[in-house]
Amino acid sequence: MTTSTPTPTGELPALEMSGVVAGGSAAAEAELSTRDGADDPRTTVVDGHAPKQIAVTPIIAVLVVSAFVMILNETLLSVALPSLMEDLSITAVTAQWLSTGFLLTMAVVIPTTGFLMKRLSVRQVFTIAMGLFLVGTAVAMVSPTFPLLLGARVVQAAGTAMVLPLLMTTILALVPIRSRGLVMGLVGVVISAAPAIGPSASGFILQHWTWHALFLMMLPIIVVALVIGLLFMRNYTEPEKVRLDVLSVVLSAIGFGGLVYALASISQIVEGTNRVIPLTVAVVGLLALTVFTRRQLRMQARDEEPLLDLRPLRVRTFTVSVIVILIGFATMLGTVVALPLYMTGSLGMDTLTIGLTMLPGAAASGLLGPAIGALYDRVGARPIVVPGIALMATVNWLSVFLLDEHATQGLIIALNIPLGVGMAMVMTPLLTLSLGSLPRSLYGHGSAILNTLQQLAGALGTAVFIAMLSLGSVLAAGAGVSAQAAQASGASWAFVFGGVITTAAVVLAATLKPLPAEASPQG
């Protein structure tokens, strides 16, 4: 078997290597077989060019749409929590588990995706992921009780955790290098715009129907995507029999799951309503992650297959890129949750108005993703990322001083649009730069680390923004101000946190070094 060597083109240099498979050492080897070619000529992928038997466009389209709907689903319930609390007779703390349980499941499943993507065929992974999400959505739609709804969300999350790695794998395995900038922009749309659109879509639907309709509207999209995917999806890797390190899976689940739970409970810790259990779980989670890390390093030293190879964290460009991505992601998700609470409590907006207010920022992020991907092909990452994260920091600091109990809808939109633009400028270039900075053998491991840490960042951003909003509101109310002014004061506290972490990210982003091919961008 011969291996073709890519010819440097300067087009999307960060991805000018073999394809990415998200998750673990098994994934890295799967990635090698993807690009070096399998024995079956019908599934061989050479230098990023798919065989004629594989219809790339419908496959990519199905995966992009599926991933968009699944990530949209992560924030879809944020506006619906009051309706769910009333309909299911549950408290706010209990209702929050619909989001916490989702993030917990994602954090547990993602580290195992490498094993699944090597052990199973691409078509099998797609079918299982879509099937899980479809079943979870159908059950959620008709759930009469909270426990059944929570179980349905967990099933949804298991499917979601498998689809984004599959999307990245397929793009980098089947799309030619010259076209990847534009296509990777679509991935940026999925990651940055979909969570922001969730509250907007939810607000519109809840204005006319009950919360059940949130799940109903996703069903036909997923069914159509599943049918089209089954018609066009072809295998481009050969499944292999690999051993799953069960102890690593258990330690990973306890570690990452424990941290997500503790982060989601920050509000309770700050308010003093429940400190013992979250702090205990946090300590147990940190201990489990410590043992997990030592086990992965020992397995690597013994030439065994670790569940998650941690060597990418030794690559400075990768680590800095990931930190900036995580800060941007945490800020974006925190804003998506905090802004609706501020608009409801301080400005008295209804769900439809909130949704329409959030929509322009999400649309800006989504529409610019492909264009920024194409620009990255020409100028590299730093000239785009530094202004992008600086824009996010500026918006947060302006929000601290401008968003009070008298703010207008137009002002919020004017602030939210540049926030969405900044997010697009951060996500698309850094997704490619972070993975492209790694040796080919570590490409898959880097993707697994990034996807896992994103779940922790999402939980952290959401929890801290809400905790700061709650604490600021309580202190302001204690000083004797009106309820509307107290809520606005709490929102200012939340945006101070966003401003601090994004300002730090500006400094980090300025230290990013271009990859060798980026040093001479194409004109």
Side-chain angles (χ1 to χ4, degrees), residues 55-313:
V56 176
T57 301
I59 293 175
I60 299 295
V62 163
L63 289 174
V64 167
V65 170
S66 301
F68 186 89
V69 172
M70 290 181 180
I71 297 180
L72 174 79
N73 174 67
E74 284 195 49
T75 58
L76 202 60
L77 295 185
S78 61
V79 178
L81 289 183
S83 299
L84 286 162
M85 289 162 57
E86 181 180 355
D87 194 32
L88 300 176
S89 300
I90 56 177
T91 65
V93 174
T94 302
Q96 190 62 39
W97 269 99
L98 295 172
S99 297
T100 304
F102 195 97
L103 289 172
L104 276 169
T105 306
M106 292 275 285
V108 169
V109 174
I110 285 176
T112 68
T113 54
F115 166 79
L116 294 174
M117 295 183 73
K118 187 171 184 183
R119 185 66 181 86
L120 305 174
S121 69
V122 172
R123 186 181 173 89
Q124 287 174 322
V125 173
F126 172 79
T127 304
I128 292 172
M130 297 294 284
L132 286 171
F133 190 82
L134 181 61
V135 170
T137 303
V139 172
M141 182 184 66
V142 298
S143 293
T145 63
F146 174 77
L148 188 59
L149 179 58
L150 178 60
R153 289 283 287 173
V154 167
V155 175
Q156 279 186 321
T160 303
M162 298 168 66
V163 162
L164 191 57
L166 181 60
L167 170 61
M168 292 290 292
T169 301
T170 304
I171 288 176
L172 297 175
L174 301 183
V175 177
I177 291 174
R178 65 179 180 275
S179 304
R180 286 185 193 156
L182 179 63
V183 179
M184 284 297 294
L186 296 176
V187 179
V189 171
V190 168
I191 293 176
S192 60
I197 291 176
S200 305
S202 182
F204 175 79
I205 291 171
L206 291 173
Q207 191 73 15
H208 299 87
W209 301 283
T210 67
W211 60 267
H212 302 84
L214 297 175
F215 300 103
L216 176 62
M217 69 98 176
M218 289 187 285
L219 273 180
I221 302 174
I222 294 300
V223 169
V224 171
L226 177 59
V227 171
I228 295 176
L230 291 177
L231 289 174
F232 289 98
M233 186 67 70
R234 298 293 181 269
N235 296 321
Y236 51 84
T237 58
E238 293 297 322
E240 298 180 29
K241 291 184 178 180
V242 291
R243 186 182 70 88
L244 178 65
D245 183 32
V246 177
L247 180 56
S248 290
V249 174
V250 172
L251 290 171
S252 170
I254 296 173
F256 290 117
L259 284 185
V260 168
Y261 172 79
L263 290 172
S265 305
I266 284 179
S267 291
Q268 300 173 48
I269 297 173
V270 171
E271 294 169 2
T273 56
N274 181 16
R275 289 176 175 168
V276 176
I277 294 177
L279 290 175
T280 302
V281 172
V283 171
V284 172
L286 287 172
L287 289 175
L289 277 184
T290 301
V291 177
F292 172 80
T293 300
R294 293 176 63 88
R295 181 170 179 81
Q296 305 314 295
L297 294 175
R298 283 199 303 268
M299 293 180 71
Q300 183 69 42
R302 295 196 298 260
D303 292 328
E304 298 177 5
E305 289 188 357
L307 181 69
L308 194 62
D309 193 325
L310 303 177
R311 285 179 295 169
L313 294 174

